[in-house]
Every structure is written in C-alpha cells, then in structure tokens.
Amino acid sequence: MLAGLGGWIKRGTMMPAILFLALGLSFWTPPTAGQGLDPAALLRPPTDTWPTYNGDYSGRRYSPLDQINAGNVGSLTLAWIYRSRGVAIKSTPLVVNDILYFTEPDNVWALDAKFGRLIWHYERKSEGGHIGHRGVAMYKNWLYFTTPDAHLICLDAKDGAVHWDIELADAKLGYFATMAPLVIRDHVIVGVSGDSTDIRGILTSVDPETGTVQWHWYTEPDPGQPGSETWPKDGDALLHGGGMTWMTGTYDPALNLLYWGTGNPNPVLVGDSRPGDNLYTCSIVALNPDTGKLAWAFQPSPHDVHDWDAVQTPILFDAEFKGKQRKLLAQASRNGFFFLLDRTNGERLVTSAFIDQTWASGVDSRGRPIAKASANPSPDGALVEPGSDGATNWMAPSFDPQTNLFYVMARRIFAIFYKIAEGKTEGWGGRDRNLWANTTLRALDYKTGRVVWNHELGDGEGVAGILTTAGHLLFSADMSGNLLALDPATGKVLWHLNVGGQVVASPMTYQIDGRQYLIVPVQDDLYAFALPTFALPGVWWRAG
C-alpha cells in the first residue's frame, strides 16, 4: 500500500504497479537504534518518541502532538498494518529512534515505526501465566522484557540479542510477570503477578547494565515493621498475603518518588484468616526509587474480599485544588471509587464513586470506603456491584491538561460472590459469577470526582485504554469494534471506524518526519493511522 512503500511519486503520473512496488521496496532501509534512548526523553512529553509504557513518567497518556486534530480527524487513513499472527496484543508499544517495539507473552517485535516493516523478532518459550503482556522498557540501547515464568530479560535493541536473563521470583510457587518495567535513571523497576497461590507481592529494582538486584520491596511488611499490625499477630498470613505488583507505576523526578499500585490480599475473596486492613495490599504506595524505602501509603480497599486490586495507573499532575496549587495523584480504582491525593504526603483530598456501586456504605475519616458486611462473599451468594473484574481495571486512563478532566473506562458489572471454603483457606476461597455488564467512558472533574460527561460504549466489559492529545481529541474504542475519536470536553463523537475486532490495549501516538501516527492494537494486529499526504498537482511528495 502507498503508506508502506517510500519512493518518490509525481501526482498524476502513471506507473505500472509491479515497477512501483519494486522501487518502493528497494528504497527502504531499516532504521537503526543509534545511540539508544536519550534519558532526557523520559522527562519530556512524548512527541517523536514514546519512551516508556505510559508515554512519560506522569501516566497521563496525553500527547502534545496536534497534527491530527478535531478539524481533520475525519481524514484519517490507514498507513500500515502489522500482523503478529499470535495472541491479542495487550501491550503499549515503545517508539525510539524511529523503531517501534511491542510484545506478546514470550515475544518481542521491533518494527520500522514509519512503514511497519519487521526489523527483528525475539521469541522465548516459557511456562507460566500467559494472560497477556504490557510491553518493554528501555535504557540506552537495552530493552527489558518480563516473562510468564517470572524472569526479566535484557535485549539489545539493535537485534534482539540477549544481554542477560535473571529470575525475579520462583515460577513454581505461582509467580509470573506481565508488566512493562519502568526505568528511573540507573534503576529498572519491575513487578510480579500471580494470585492462585498464597505468595508475597514484590517490587524489585535491578541494575540496567548487569541485572544485579539493587533492592526488593515487599507489599507485606516483615513482622514488627509499620503496617504489620494490620495482619494477624499469630500465624503466617503476613508472609503469604498476596499484593501483586501487576502494573507499571509512575514517577515524580522533582520529589524523587515512585508511585505504584498493589494487588489484592490472599487468600482471595475470603478474609477470615487475615483480619485487619492487610497493608500494603490494595494500596497506592510512594517509594524512594534509590532505596525502595516506603515514604507513604494510601489504601483504597482495606481488607479486600472482592479481588479489587488497586494497581490502576496513579496519574500525576500539578493543578489547583481549593484555591491552592497542589502536586496531585489521581486514581480511578477497581472498586468503583475515584481518589485524589496530595502526592507529596499521601493526604486524601477526594473520594467519590465514579460508577454505581452497592458494596460501600460511606467513607471513613481517612477517605477509604466503608464496606458493608452484607456484600461479603457468602455460601448463599451476595449480589454486588462491581464484580471482581472491577469498575475499571488495567486499561489506561488519561488526564488532559487542556480540559482538566480525568478519563476512565468504567464498567457496570453485577456479580454474585460466593464463599466456597471454610477454615484455613489457601489460594481462592471464593468465586464470583457475573450476571450482566456494560461499559461507558466517563470524564471526571478531578476536584470533586463528579461525572462531567458520559459516553456509553455497549454491553460487555470494555478493556480499551484511552489517549488524549493536544489536537483536542480523545481516542478509545467501543464494544462493537469501533475505534473512536471524541471531543474530550464534551464526549461528542468526531470520527469512528469499525476495525473489525476488539481493541484490548491503549492507543498511542508519535511523529516521524513531520507526520503523526496513531497506533491501535486490534486483536493480533497493529494498525497505524495517519493523515493522507496531499499536495498540489505537479508537486513531488514522498509516499508514507
């Protein structure tokens, strides 16, 4: 197709298709990794690069690019498609030095980001959890890739050659890894997954050059440490308490604080053997990235019995709150509540339900929802909204500094929660069965959590993420396979295209040679969209 060819074409000139293809292919040379990733790119809003999972350290998923905008989005055209011929792509690609890197479990691909052509493919078969994969991280000319058997692998970005391979945790115990690591200076921060067995959540920092472990932080404190009092004093629940570190965190360079969400406690869906709040599971934590020392923590779901991880992206932004400029952190949590915190100290500023919920009776003095006993799983079943899949989940939210609105993919899920185990329980002590679900995209006023606008997306559990741009656009997808461009101020649909499959990851964008590209994973395909390159008759232009 035109966008995948290169070569010079004169408008109005006829050229045999075979010759045209031959010329286009002969002119293409793959980009090279060059000097690798400039560390300063991690400190800037993403334009010609998308250097980390969320685009930058803030987690806002906001791009300053505006070539594609509300006035011309109707002219978007397909630039290229790359088919992995694997499983659904749940990763967000990185783009550095005109090379795009994306993942599936056991696999990493490097593509020419302009034409979508393959440069190299790395594959490593492994055992373990293959539920999906979020992407890679990059430091200089090294890529960092987590695996289903809980390894961290360092690859050469030029050709995919293995530099080193370390074990993060023992896969035989039930650990695996799905997340995209986060690079902060000379630290690669990486988390683990797994809640089928009673294991302890871990966040690890390793040296990017050697893979040497620099520090571990455990989501359950050791006996006697602050937070241990929220677990039983007798028994071993504290050291088997879950709290997986599933998703990529965010970082404030000025405060030198790393922000991470943690998963649910174990045993799952039953709490009889672990009375107390069970810190630091289902929590937002702030850590010093140089030492792994905890600075503060806030717990959206104390003593969770519904599998409501608090691993959703903690978005960072500076804005006014009650007449004062504040350094803020916002999270729309899986339990259905929106939280606004002061990220310097963890002070709670706002707690507000962003979708219907039936499990909480109010909010306590620390801004945490108060659970109803009637919503706990029981042998006869308890009808609860949301279900364990959550009012939102791993799909990326966004914050747009132009509208000052926070955007979240929200789900109404009714489920019956059953308790199926008595006595000392291991792993899952309950189950929930979804009865009905639908999905909506909501814009929230960060100052109050109030819903400003709502765009219904259809029945089922939506998992598409969100991207906002300086072009006054919000990109996401509905439940009917439509890629959507909305007005971020009003939620009005400006453009849509049925892409023929479910979008199960987040759109992202970058610019190369003056042309902005929008990348959307659709099942096992990567779609690249851009504006067509128009010119006056007789003017030479470059295809792609």
Side-chain angles (χ1 to χ4, degrees), residues 50 61 68 76 79-82 89 91-95 100-102 111-116 467 475 483 503 505-512 516-522 525-530:
W50 188 279
R61 294 271 177 159
I68 302 170
L76 272 185
W80 52 261
I81 301 174
Y82 184 82
I89 300 169
S91 64
T92 298
L94 298 194
V95 173
L100 181 149
Y101 305 95
F102 78 97
L111 307 180
D112 180 333
K114 188 173 181 181
F115 298 114
L467 170 72
F475 290 101
L483 176 62
V503 176
S506 303
M508 53 84 71
T509 189
Y510 55 89
Q511 186 165 296
I512 295 178
Q516 183 182 352
Y517 294 81
L518 172 72
I519 303 297
V520 183
V522 181
D525 297 334
L526 276 185
Y527 283 39
F529 296 91

Side-chain angles (χ1 to χ4, degrees), residues 105-352:
D106 296 331
N107 292 271
V108 184
W109 285 267
L111 307 180
D112 180 333
K114 188 173 181 181
F115 298 114
R117 292 195 181 97
L118 178 66
I119 297 174
W120 54 258
H121 173 215
Y122 169 80
E123 183 174 19
R124 174 186 179 274
K125 297 289 188 181
S126 66
E127 301 295 327
H130 282 70
I131 65 172
H133 200 272
R134 306 296 174 220
V136 292
M138 192 168 189
Y139 169 87
K140 296 182 180 178
N141 205 44
W142 305 115
L143 297 173
Y144 303 92
F145 174 57
T146 58
T147 69
D149 57 355
H151 281 232
L152 178 65
I153 298 176
C154 178
L155 303 176
D156 191 320
K158 291 183 298 225
D159 54 15
V162 175
H163 181 46
W164 49 253
D165 178 340
I166 65 169
E167 183 182 74
L168 296 170
D170 189 348
K172 294 184 179 65
L173 298 178
Y175 286 104
F176 60 102
T178 61
M179 54 88 65
L182 182 67
V183 172
I184 298 175
R185 297 187 304 276
D186 59 349
H187 306 287
V188 180
I189 315 294
V190 61
V192 292
S193 306
D195 55 9
S196 60
T197 57
D198 294 344
I199 50 181
R200 198 179 186 192
I202 314 167
L203 196 63
T204 300
S205 175
V206 305
D207 183 288
E209 297 283 0
T210 65
T212 303
V213 172
Q214 297 166 327
W215 52 258
H216 292 298
W217 180 78
Y218 293 94
T219 52
E220 289 85 26
D222 289 329
Q225 290 183 339
S228 62
E229 72 281 359
T230 66
W231 292 83
K233 292 182 180 179
D234 300 322
D236 59 358
L238 181 63
L239 301 181
H240 300 274
M244 296 300 110
T245 46
W246 293 84
M247 291 291 295
T248 309
T250 52
Y251 172 63
D252 183 332
L255 297 174
N256 194 33
L257 285 178
L258 169 68
Y259 304 94
W260 216 275
T262 67
N264 59 281
N266 280 33
V268 188
L269 300 189
V270 292
D272 299 348
S273 63
R274 49 175 175 84
D277 287 348
N278 305 145
L279 289 172
Y280 295 97
T281 67
C282 287
S283 296
I284 303 166
V285 299
L287 306 174
N288 182 316
D290 299 313
T291 64
K293 183 178 180 180
L294 180 71
W296 58 258
F298 176 82
Q299 191 174 42
S301 293
H303 188 72
D304 170 70
V305 291
H306 296 95
D307 191 20
W308 288 329
D309 297 345
V311 300
Q312 294 68 49
T313 304
I315 292 182
L316 314 181
F317 56 96
D318 297 347
E320 181 269 334
F321 183 80
K322 293 187 177 180
K324 182 180 177 182
Q325 282 292 118
R326 304 286 290 263
K327 292 183 177 295
L328 301 173
L329 180 154
Q331 184 193 70
S333 201
R334 187 163 164 173
N335 65 13
F337 281 83
F338 170 81
F339 299 94
L340 185 73
L341 311 178
D342 183 321
R343 70 175 183 270
T344 67
N345 55 19
E347 176 190 359
R348 191 274 310 192
L349 304 176
V350 174
T351 303
S352 177

Side-chain angles (χ1 to χ4, degrees), residues 337-386:
F337 281 83
F338 170 81
F339 299 94
L340 185 73
L341 311 178
D342 183 321
R343 70 175 183 270
T344 67
N345 55 19
E347 176 190 359
R348 191 274 310 192
L349 304 176
V350 174
T351 303
S352 177
F354 64 84
I355 195 78
D356 303 337
Q357 62 82 27
T358 64
W359 69 276
S361 61
V363 176
D364 69 17
S365 61
R366 287 179 280 178
R368 308 178 309 169
I370 301 171
K372 299 175 183 176
S374 60
N376 290 348
S378 68
D380 293 332
L383 179 62
V384 180
E385 184 186 14

Side-chain angles (χ1 to χ4, degrees), residues 307-308 334-336 386-393 395 411 413 461:
D307 191 20
W308 288 329
R334 187 163 164 173
N335 65 13
S388 67
D389 290 345
T392 192
N393 204 305
M395 50 287 225
R411 291 100 64 92
I413 305 175
E461 296 183 26

